[in-house]
Amino acid sequence: MPYVQLGRTQGLGQAEHSRALLARDLAAGAITGELAGVVMMTVLVVAFPLAMGRSPLVPLQVIGAFVFGDTATEAAHLPSLVAAVVLHLMGPSLLWGLVAGALVFALNVRRFPSLLPLGLMVGVLAQVVDVNMVLPPAFQALHGHNIWAENIPTFWSWVAHVVYGLTLTLHAVVFRRLGAYLD
């Protein structure tokens, strides 16, 4: 049975080898993006009570406010908390993880030292694109004001996104683990 090992191909032509590596990088990117999304939310949930004396649920409430508006930020609102986790993991966490996986494939970098700047770049892009470009007009159109900017300090937003990017460096581990299952 043909399989792919990093650095060599056995039983596959060049095109098949390339497609198999792309699929593995995208799968590793998706998995790593989800892990990074959980780590990112955890950082915010821990930072809010420790650094700001606010409820640990505030970051989740704010994400849930994308669907439920101000109702989500007024009190612990279970539907908005569930929506927050689903939205964050199935939206930006997955998307940016796939972007990272595609970049890993395109740049052919699968080792930690090379993944570090790539992960940081993706984390910064996620902050700039999502928080600075997408959320302001989206929140404005949906709810009349930017609920994210009003509730999540810029510093902590940046910290969370940098942590997301740093966590993407786990791509190397996930990529190897996927190879073990595929081989």
Side-chain angles (χ1 to χ4, degrees):
M1 180 169 172
Y3 65 94
V4 174
Q5 276 188 327
L6 188 58
R8 100 178 180 189
T9 305
Q10 184 175 20
L12 295 178
Q14 186 60 34
E16 291 86 4
H17 175 73
S18 196
R19 280 194 296 274
L21 279 178
L22 175 60
R24 194 162 144 195
D25 278 326
L26 290 176
I31 292 166
T32 307
E34 296 300 281
L35 291 171
V38 169
V39 170
M40 177 185 190
M41 286 190 295
T42 303
V43 164
L44 287 174
V45 164
V46 169
F48 264 65
L50 293 179
M52 294 171 260
R54 295 180 68 192
S55 167
L57 298 179
V58 169
L60 297 174
Q61 291 171 283
V62 171
I63 296 169
F66 194 78
V67 175
F68 293 98
D70 291 317
T71 303
T73 61
E74 292 166 1
H77 182 248
L78 185 60
S80 70
L81 299 175
V82 171
V85 172
V86 171
L87 275 173
H88 193 256
L89 293 179
M90 295 298 116
S93 294
L94 180 60
L95 171 72
W96 289 110
L98 289 169
V99 167
L103 288 170
V104 165
F105 175 78
L107 300 172
N108 195 28
V109 292
R110 292 181 187 86
R111 294 186 185 269
F112 174 74
S114 302
L115 288 170
L116 189 58
L118 187 138
L120 284 171
M121 180 188 72
V122 172
V124 167
L125 274 174
Q127 166 70 27
V128 170
V129 172
D130 294 349
V131 176
N132 296 18
M133 296 170 69
V134 173
L135 286 182
F139 267 124
Q140 187 66 38
L142 292 170
H143 306 294
H145 59 109
N146 187 344
I147 299 171
W148 180 272
E150 294 167 8
N151 290 280
I152 307 296
T154 303
F155 172 79
W156 286 107
S157 184
W158 275 99
V159 166
H161 284 85
V162 166
V163 166
Y164 176 86
L166 291 173
T167 307
L168 289 175
T169 61
L170 292 174
H171 184 281
V173 174
V174 174
F175 183 86
R176 279 193 304 276
R177 289 290 212 174
L178 285 173
Y181 290 114
L182 298 173
D183 290 347

